[in-house]
Amino acid sequence: MKINIGVFFGGKSVEHEVSIISAMQVINALNKEKYDVIPIYISKDNKLYYTKDMVDVSYFKDLEKVKNESTEIYFTHKNSTIFVYSVKSILKKEIAKIDVAFPVVHGLNVEDGTLQGFLEMYNIPYVGPDVSASAVGMNKILFKKVLEASNIPVIEYIDVNLYDYEKNSDNIFSNIKEKLGLPVILKPANLGSSIGIEIVKEESEFKEKIEKVFLFTDKILVERCVTKLREINCSVIGDEKSIDVSLLEEPVRIDEILSFKDKYMSATNKKCSPKLEGMVSLSRKIPANLDKKIESEIYNLSKKVFRTIGCSGVSRIDYIIDEEDNKLYVNEINTIPGSLSFYLWEKKDISFDKLCDRLIKIAIDRNERRKKIVYSHNVNILNMSGKK
């Protein structure tokens, strides 16, 4: 019997379209002899839509048309299964059911534990990290604090919130300049895909650029800017029982930092039309040409980071090598990476469909383990009569 896989994507996130690209790749990679695939589109206003026609990126060129042509849905659940119903149907007749949820979401309001918490409440097996790992991985400031506490190397940083900045912006800048110097990188604490990142090289730029970043967030990570750097990425797959690491990649940058344009807007022809292939379109060297000692250090750190935040499924951990002193730093983790980093596993002879198989198995195994955990007592103490 086939397993019904609900692929969730989209969401109220600035990475909405990137999620659609990744999800279409997953939907087409899933083995249709093993799985019936149910695409679940989360619109930018957080409504849920379903149609079997959601199998290609081109279908989403007009998002309003997608909403008009597909079925708005809602869920009920029973015995770890989601039942899908049409919002507009008078008859309560299920139109699909989901045995395993496969979130392919990026960014705030979906990848940060929000969607994972919803699935936890329904007791549905789902692919990827749980609520706590998702929240830590999405919040760049919290992630750095957790790594620091575990003696994992991170670049020097300061965190700034909007309330403190509005109260005393001059002191904020003085503190940054004293502790980090210039240049510095400003990053929204809870966004991915290099969205909203600014580099401040001169004092005169600070106010304009930090206020630009505050348009995306109320918390900013300020890091010392490594000017002579190499960026190296490693994908990790597994759970608390076992972890495997991919080949290492070195992305090729066009801008000073690896930007959204580098990742998702690579030119495909002389007219420079953007690719719609997600992270696959990024220029990269695989495997990265590294000293064996650094390579080994990255593999060991990748496993440690994955375990430290309690991750599950497939992630991508990004590193920075400061070539001034050859020091290695963990930059960030992508708990649901663009394109699920399948291109790094294909280089190890693990095909995309096999990668998805393993992720689904990890999800089912975790759900079975959690069924054995006692979460509540089958007693209502409010209904107990006290004795004198």
Side-chain angles (χ1 to χ4, degrees):
M1 184 180 292
K2 292 183 181 181
I3 300 173
N4 298 306
I5 305 293
V7 178
F8 289 71
F9 58 97
K12 190 172 72 173
S13 165
V14 292
E15 298 176 78
H16 183 94
E17 289 80 4
V18 180
S19 168
I20 292 171
I21 294 170
S22 294
M24 295 305 102
Q25 292 169 332
V26 169
I27 285 170
N28 286 287
L30 285 164
N31 187 332
K32 305 308 184 294
E33 293 183 3
K34 294 181 179 180
Y35 312 113
D36 280 328
V37 181
I38 298 93
I40 305 293
Y41 170 60
I42 310 170
S43 65
K44 291 184 179 183
D45 56 357
N46 273 340
K47 293 182 179 180
L48 303 172
Y49 295 89
Y50 162 76
T51 173
K52 284 188 175 292
D53 294 335
M54 296 175 181
V55 295
D56 188 83
V57 173
S58 61
Y59 184 79
F60 295 89
K61 288 184 177 180
D62 184 339
L63 295 180
E64 284 303 312
K65 186 178 178 182
V66 170
K67 291 160 68 173
N68 291 332
E69 291 184 353
S70 55
T71 303
E72 187 180 351
I73 58 171
Y74 70 95
F75 299 142
T76 63
H77 69 101
K78 185 178 180 182
N79 298 329
S80 298
T81 299
I82 289 177
F83 295 91
V84 181
Y85 299 91
S86 168
V87 167
K88 294 181 180 179
S89 176
I90 299 174
L91 300 174
K92 190 177 178 182
K93 183 178 179 181
E94 70 181 63
I95 56 177
K97 67 178 183 178
I98 296 170
D99 302 313
V100 178
F102 200 135
V104 190
V105 289
H106 305 312
L108 197 61
N109 300 310
V110 274
E111 189 183 357
D112 58 356
T114 304
L115 178 57
Q116 291 75 11
F118 168 76
L119 296 168
E120 289 274 3
M121 286 184 64
Y122 275 19
N123 197 32
I124 304 300
Y126 63 91
V127 169
D130 65 10
V131 176
S132 59
S134 299
V136 172
M138 193 71 215
N139 188 313
K140 292 179 171 64
I141 296 168
L142 184 55
F143 178 65
K144 277 185 174 280
K145 291 181 185 295
V146 170
L147 264 55
E148 277 187 312
S150 301
N151 296 314
I152 295 172
V154 296
I155 296 169
E156 303 93 312
Y157 71 97
I158 291 172
D159 55 285
V160 179
N161 67 60
L162 180 59
Y163 175 73
D164 289 339
Y165 175 75
E166 288 178 337
K167 273 200 315 180
N168 206 333
S169 59
D170 290 339
N171 277 1
I172 293 287
F173 179 76
S174 296
N175 189 37
I176 290 170
K177 194 173 179 181
E178 179 185 342
K179 293 187 176 180
L180 303 178
L182 290 177
V184 293
I185 296 183
L186 311 178
K187 299 179 179 179
N190 47 16
L191 294 184
S193 294
S194 301
I195 292 170
I197 293 178
E198 296 286 342
I199 297 178
V200 176
K201 298 178 180 178
E202 305 290 341
E203 184 173 348
S204 58
E205 302 175 322
F206 178 71
K207 184 175 186 297
E208 178 189 352
K209 290 193 172 181
I210 197 169
E211 290 178 0
K212 190 184 293 186
V213 181
F214 272 130
L215 294 174
F216 294 95
T217 184
D218 59 0
K219 293 182 177 66
I220 291 177
L221 174 70
V222 185
E223 288 181 331
R224 172 177 68 85
C225 184
V226 178
T227 54
K228 192 178 179 183
L229 78 159
R230 293 180 68 184
E231 298 180 55
I232 305 295
N233 300 337
C234 178
S235 184
V236 184
I237 189 171
D239 57 12
E240 59 203 35
K241 294 189 298 180
S242 65
I243 297 175
D244 291 323
V245 290
S246 71
L247 294 179
L248 303 182
E249 66 166 336
E250 182 171 7
V252 177
R253 292 177 285 123
I254 300 170
D255 297 330
E256 289 180 282
I257 57 174
L258 191 62
S259 65
F260 183 89
K261 181 173 71 175
D262 289 333
K263 291 178 178 179
Y264 302 110
M265 301 291 288
S266 298
T268 58
N269 57 38
K270 292 179 182 179
K271 295 181 180 179
C272 296
S273 59
K275 283 188 178 182
L276 294 176
E277 298 177 7
M279 284 293 289
V280 181
S281 65
L282 174 67
S283 298
R284 53 170 58 84
K285 299 174 186 175
I286 306 176
N289 184 20
L290 292 169
D291 177 90
K292 290 297 180 184
K293 183 180 177 182
I294 290 282
E295 184 179 89
S296 178
E297 189 178 351
I298 289 173
Y299 283 139
N300 290 334
L301 275 175
S302 297
K303 293 177 181 179
K304 186 175 181 179
V305 169
F306 195 83
R307 286 192 187 278
T308 295
I309 72 166
C311 214
S312 180
V314 66
S315 295
R316 193 190 74 241
I317 302 172
D318 301 346
Y319 294 86
I320 285 177
I321 300 173
D322 187 342
E323 294 192 294
E324 294 286 351
D325 52 15
N326 207 35
K327 282 190 176 179
L328 177 69
Y329 300 96
V330 177
N331 188 28
E332 62 184 32
I333 188 169
N334 297 272
T335 55
I336 305 178
S339 304
L340 300 192
S341 294
F342 77 85
Y343 46 88
L344 290 175
W345 296 99
E346 283 186 334
K347 298 292 183 178
K348 289 192 75 172
D349 294 326
I350 300 173
S351 62
F352 200 171
D353 64 318
K354 296 298 182 187
L355 178 69
C356 291
D357 286 347
R358 182 166 176 185
L359 294 175
I360 291 165
K361 184 178 186 309
I362 290 170
I364 294 171
D365 288 349
R366 177 177 61 192
N367 191 256
E368 290 301 312
R369 290 196 304 274
R370 290 187 172 184
K371 284 181 181 179
K372 300 173 184 176
I373 298 173
V374 176
Y375 290 102
S376 62
H377 295 292
N378 197 23
V379 174
N380 183 359
I381 62 171
L382 302 178
N383 197 29
M384 297 175 67
S385 299
K387 292 183 180 181
K388 293 184 179 179

